[in-house]
């Protein structure tokens, strides 16, 4: 537990809700980046495998 979590806990439920929404948005963005990275990697791998097969 750090000083910021203690400070936000003592400021009331409105700040906690804001923190929760902010963390939720960060989580969704991280998840979207991971999904995009896996999709791009799969497409790149498929392209490389197709090139190898055509030789």
């Amino acid at each position: 537990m750090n000083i910021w979590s203690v400070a936000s806990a003592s400021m009331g439920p409105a700040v906690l809700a804001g923190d929760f929404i902010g963390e939720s948005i960060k989580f969704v963005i991280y998840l979207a980046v991971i999904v995009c990275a896996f999709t791009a990697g799969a497409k790149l791998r498929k392209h490389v495998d197709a090139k190898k097969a055509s030789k």
Side-chain angles (χ1 to χ4, degrees):
M1 186 177 243
N2 61 24
I3 191 168
W4 300 115
S5 61
V6 173
S8 66
S10 65
M11 291 181 187
V15 174
L16 290 177
D19 286 346
F20 180 74
I21 291 170
E23 292 297 321
S24 298
I25 291 170
K26 276 202 294 189
F27 175 75
V28 169
I29 291 171
Y30 290 153
L31 192 62
V33 167
I34 290 170
V35 168
C36 287
F38 273 108
T39 304
K43 286 186 180 193
L44 181 63
R45 181 67 188 198
K46 197 173 187 180
H47 178 70
V48 169
D49 288 345
K51 259 187 162 179
K52 282 183 183 178
S54 68
K55 286 185 176 181

